[in-house]
Amino acid sequence: MRRKVSFKTRILLNFSVIIGLFTVGIILFEQQQFKNERTLSLERTLENNADIVYRYLNENSIDLQKEPERVGELLRYMPSDVRFTIINWEGRVLYDNFLDVRKMENHLKRPEVQKSIGFGNGSNIRISDSDNIKYLYYSKKYDEGYFIRLAVPYNVQLQSFINSGSSFVIYILLFFIVCILMVLYFSNRFSRSLKELREFSLSVRNDVKIPASFVFADDEVGEVSADIVENYNLLQENRRKLAAEREKLLQHFQLSEEGIAIFSKDRREIYANSHFLQFLNIILDNPTLEPELLFDDPVFGEFVDFLNIHPREGNMFSKRIEKSGRQFNVRIIIFEDESFEFYISDITKSEKTRLLKQEMTNNIAHELRTPVTSIRGYLETILNLYDYDEENSERIRGFLDRAYTQTIRLSELIQDISMLTKIEEAPDRFELEQVRMNELLNELSNDLADKLNENKDNFLVNVNDNVVIYGSRTLLYSIFRNLIENAISYGGENIDIVVRCYNENENTYFFEFYDTGIGVDEKHLVRIFERFYRVNEGRTRKTGGSGLGLSVVKNAVLFHKGSIVAKNRPEGGLHFLMTFPKFLQ
């Protein structure tokens, strides 16, 4: 089995290699610099010697073609290891102090000669073909028609120079040793903290209790390790809390009377409680224990279509499904990560109760409406035919007026109760259409003209012809009729009643309705939409009404997915602010 190298050893080896390479690089770089400087120094020396030879030849008028041997007189002034050669511009060697010129080949192609042709002087380091010794050659061109070339053995001159830099090499080696010792020191400190963190990790993995005296090294790594441990403890605590919450959620799902299933983005089951499988098997034709099969059944086709919509306007879709004599409300909620939940509720019992309640309310309203209508008709006939000359006629007529007023109130009460019941229990029975609000409000003004004139009230409409709401014409008519009748009954005489569409955006109309009457006390504003709630001060029962008008208004607004709030106007009167979506969703 291969032995694992410790972190400390890896740090020490890696940094030692890096420092070693850096040290060797410095030595090689400095030696190259020394070598280049020494070469330049030798070239300058050789150039001075070439100039000395040139001056000697000119001062002594030596003809190199006829008497080249006279050049040898300079040898006593030259170092013994210096070789100099005179070459004419055609490359023929005229003089060489080491070799017989008659045996020497043409030197025009020599590198140092070629450089001096182009630049006036040039140098080259190479091994001589004549004696196999490495030389530094230096050549200089002169106008008299020849080149003077000098050469010295290169390795002999350089060796003494390298020896002179031995102190620098020793300094670099000392630098290397100090760096290694520093790396060793810091790796020991760093590995100590890592070792402590490793011991803590193993203790956690093996579920060994951590002693209270356990602390990390007092350095930066130790502080980081302590932070890691603290975050680990927080993570463990959060995991315990999350597990407890998950257990609560699962218990809630299991005890819930709804069928609940959670699916991933790729429509794989994550969780499904027993009620979901039970309800699903009632809805599907073939029993199954795999909730994913619902996506292949046509009954859930609309839900699959909703999942496939991108982008979608909302994240929820619901539908009622009836199967085997039972009714289910099915809804789907999609989350941001495209996972989603299915809910199936068995509403068979509640639906039967609702239908029974609706039927009972309708029956009561129907049974009351017939006798009340008859009584109202009789009273109207009696009032029209009554003989005013009979004794006690005023008293009897007063009783008849009261009876007639009460039948009217009872008729309105039955009508409002029927309207509220229909809104709450059977909203699908209202026919939806495009309603032009200006046309509806003008129709309403005509219908209530007698009441407005009797009270000397002015009804003002400020709604453009292009304001169109998609909704129930019956309910929209009922909203504004109840508001107007409420203002007529309780606002006082000779007031203005105003309805205005004061703003709109892409999706919503903003309406206001107000009167310039007496308003209501602030403490009653939060309750005026409650059923049968009456404001006693200034609004008594003598004005009539069912006590359900504003409740009908609020429920009708909510039916249209709108909102309504009431407040007093600073100038006097009651002010209603309403919103209506342009399209019902």
Side-chain angles (χ1 to χ4, degrees):
M1 183 176 179
R2 185 178 178 181
R3 185 177 180 182
K4 187 176 181 180
V5 181
S6 66
F7 186 77
K8 173 184 174 181
T9 303
R10 280 182 286 168
I11 290 179
L12 190 59
L13 289 176
N14 290 335
F15 276 93
S16 297
V17 170
I18 294 172
I19 295 172
L21 292 175
F22 178 72
T23 304
V24 171
I26 291 177
I27 293 174
L28 293 177
F29 175 77
E30 289 298 326
Q31 285 189 351
Q32 184 63 36
Q33 290 293 103
F34 292 156
K35 181 178 179 181
N36 291 339
E37 290 177 3
R38 182 57 175 167
T39 301
L40 290 175
S41 176
L42 289 174
E43 288 178 355
R44 287 193 293 269
T45 301
L46 294 176
E47 182 180 15
N48 291 333
N49 289 336
D51 291 338
I52 292 172
V53 173
Y54 169 72
R55 287 195 297 272
Y56 178 79
L57 294 176
N58 286 339
E59 290 173 359
N60 294 282
S61 302
I62 298 175
D63 187 353
L64 293 174
Q65 300 290 337
K66 298 179 180 180
E67 45 185 359
E69 65 279 358
R70 290 185 60 187
V71 180
E73 297 175 4
L74 287 172
L75 293 177
R76 60 178 178 268
Y77 302 111
M78 297 287 179
S80 59
D81 56 351
V82 174
R83 175 183 174 184
F84 71 91
T85 308
I86 300 175
I87 307 165
N88 67 10
W89 284 3
E90 286 77 22
R92 185 168 65 86
V93 178
L94 302 178
Y95 177 80
D96 188 274
N97 65 334
F98 274 31
L99 300 175
D100 186 355
V101 297
R102 291 173 296 179
K103 298 181 180 179
M104 298 178 69
E105 61 182 11
N106 191 292
H107 278 46
L108 191 63
K109 298 297 183 180
R110 294 294 191 269
E112 64 277 5
V113 176
Q114 288 291 314
K115 291 179 181 179
S116 62
I117 292 174
F119 303 104
N121 60 74
S123 63
N124 184 249
I125 300 174
R126 69 177 185 275
I127 297 176
S128 173
D129 294 335
S130 304
D131 53 12
N132 290 324
I133 297 175
K134 189 175 183 180
Y135 285 95
L136 169 63
Y137 292 94
Y138 178 81
S139 173
K140 188 171 183 179
K141 179 182 177 181
Y142 293 94
D143 294 336
E144 283 72 9
Y146 53 82
F147 303 95
I148 297 178
R149 188 186 71 170
L150 293 95
V152 291
Y154 188 68
N155 57 341
V156 175
Q157 298 294 333
L158 186 62
Q159 183 65 40
S160 61
F161 172 74
I162 293 176
N163 290 336
S164 67
S166 59
S167 59
F168 173 77
V169 176
I170 295 173
Y171 172 78
I172 291 297
L173 291 176
L174 289 175
F175 169 77
F176 173 77
I177 294 172
V178 170
C179 288
I180 294 298
L181 292 176
M182 291 179 63
V183 170
L184 180 62
Y185 170 75
F186 287 111
S187 64
N188 283 332
R189 293 193 60 184
F190 188 69
S191 62
R192 175 192 168 192
S193 298
L194 291 181
K195 182 178 179 182
E196 293 172 347
L197 186 60
R198 174 65 175 169
E199 291 176 357
F200 177 84
S201 175
L202 291 175
S203 299
V204 171
R205 182 185 302 175
N206 299 326
D207 200 21
V208 177
K209 185 177 181 181
I210 309 299
S213 58
F214 184 86
V215 292
F216 289 100
D218 187 17
D219 55 17
E220 290 81 359
V221 179
E223 292 177 359
V224 172
S225 301
D227 290 340
I228 292 174
V229 173
E230 182 178 358
N231 291 332
Y232 170 80
N233 292 332
L234 291 175
L235 178 62
Q236 291 296 98
E237 181 65 23
N238 290 333
R239 282 180 176 176
R240 286 191 291 269
K241 292 181 179 179
L242 184 61
E245 294 300 323
R246 183 177 182 275
E247 187 64 27
K248 292 179 184 178
L249 186 61
L250 291 178
Q251 290 181 7
H252 169 72
F253 284 169
Q254 289 295 341
L255 297 176
S256 174
E257 295 184 358
E258 276 190 317
I260 304 173
I262 305 174
F263 294 89
S264 62
K265 179 180 179 180
D266 57 357
R267 303 181 187 180
R268 298 293 180 185
E269 176 201 353
I270 298 176
Y271 172 81
N273 66 1
S274 58
H275 281 88
F276 185 85
L277 292 173
Q278 178 185 352
F279 296 154
L280 184 63
N281 283 320
I282 295 174
I283 296 173
L284 300 180
D285 293 330
N286 299 317
T288 181
L289 294 176
E290 300 179 9
E292 295 95 339
L293 294 180
L294 70 87
F295 300 110
D296 300 325
D297 196 283
V299 176
F300 293 92
E302 294 185 48
F303 293 93
V304 175
D305 293 339
F306 181 72
L307 286 172
N308 293 333
I309 294 175
H310 295 286
R312 60 181 68 89
E313 294 183 359
N315 67 334
M316 187 180 74
F317 175 73
S318 63
K319 179 186 176 183
R320 286 189 180 184
I321 297 177
E322 186 172 352
K323 198 67 177 277
S324 302
R326 300 176 69 175
Q327 296 189 45
F328 299 93
N329 185 35
V330 183
R331 70 182 186 276
I332 182 174
I333 300 177
I334 304 177
F335 303 114
E336 290 186 3
D337 61 354
E338 292 298 319
S339 63
F340 54 94
E341 289 182 351
F342 256 105
Y343 294 88
I344 302 180
S345 302
D346 186 353
I347 59 174
T348 305
K349 184 177 180 180
S350 60
E351 186 67 13
K352 287 181 178 179
T353 302
R354 185 188 68 81
L355 292 175
L356 181 61
K357 177 182 176 183
Q358 180 182 341
E359 182 180 358
M360 182 178 65
T361 304
N362 290 337
N363 289 338
I364 292 173
H366 177 73
E367 293 297 328
L368 287 175
R369 188 179 293 114
T370 301
V372 168
T373 303
S374 299
I375 295 171
R376 180 175 177 177
Y378 295 150
L379 290 173
E380 287 178 352
T381 303
I382 293 172
L383 288 171
N384 291 331
L385 298 177
Y386 188 75
D387 185 0
Y388 293 96
D389 296 331
E390 293 184 9
E391 187 179 357
N392 298 323
S393 60
E394 291 299 326
R395 183 179 180 187
I396 294 174
R397 184 173 181 84
F399 287 135
L400 290 175
D401 284 337
R402 293 178 187 177
Y404 180 67
T405 301
Q406 294 302 317
T407 57
I408 293 176
R409 290 189 59 220
L410 189 56
S411 297
E412 293 176 350
L413 177 62
I414 293 171
Q415 181 180 349
D416 289 342
I417 290 176
S418 298
M419 178 70 74
L420 282 172
T421 302
K422 189 175 180 181
I423 293 173
E424 294 177 348
E425 305 295 342
D428 53 334
R429 294 190 179 184
F430 289 99
E431 183 179 351
L432 303 180
E433 59 182 305
Q434 299 286 349
V435 181
R436 293 187 176 277
M437 295 305 297
N438 183 276
E439 178 184 313
L440 180 141
L441 291 168
N442 288 329
E443 176 187 340
L444 189 55
S445 177
N446 294 330
D447 293 345
L448 296 175
D450 292 340
K451 290 186 177 181
L452 291 167
N453 293 332
E454 180 182 348
N455 220 41
K456 299 178 183 179
D457 296 334
N458 297 316
F459 180 49
L460 305 175
V461 177
N462 185 5
V463 178
N464 293 333
D465 293 336
N466 60 353
V467 176
V468 178
I469 297 177
Y470 181 72
S472 167
R473 184 180 183 85
T474 300
L475 290 180
L476 290 171
Y477 182 91
S478 178
I479 290 171
F480 290 99
R481 183 183 181 102
N482 277 288
L483 289 174
I484 295 171
E485 289 181 341
N486 185 74
I488 293 173
S489 299
Y490 305 118
E493 296 183 352
N494 197 24
I495 65 172
D496 290 334
I497 301 173
V498 181
V499 58
R500 183 169 73 98
C501 180
Y502 66 91
N503 198 4
E504 68 174 289
N505 58 28
E506 184 179 354
N507 301 311
T508 307
Y509 288 117
F510 298 85
F511 278 78
E512 66 173 350
F513 180 96
Y514 66 87
D515 62 66
T516 58
I518 61 175
V520 298
D521 196 299
E522 291 289 335
K523 67 182 180 181
H524 299 296
L525 283 177
V526 295
R527 301 191 59 189
I528 61 175
F529 293 111
E530 294 180 11
R531 299 181 185 185
F532 302 109
Y533 182 77
R534 288 180 174 275
V535 179
N536 294 324
E537 294 84 8
R539 298 189 177 196
T540 64
R541 293 182 180 270
K542 68 180 181 180
T543 56
S546 65
L548 293 174
L550 291 182
S551 182
V552 171
V553 169
K554 182 172 183 179
N555 281 273
V557 171
L558 294 178
F559 170 87
H560 288 88
K561 311 298 183 187
S563 63
I564 181 170
V565 294
K567 63 179 182 177
N568 281 317
R569 298 176 68 243
E571 303 88 348
L574 194 56
H575 193 185
F576 294 91
L577 295 174
M578 294 171 283
T579 63
F580 291 98
K582 294 182 178 180
F583 307 99
L584 287 179
Q585 297 181 353

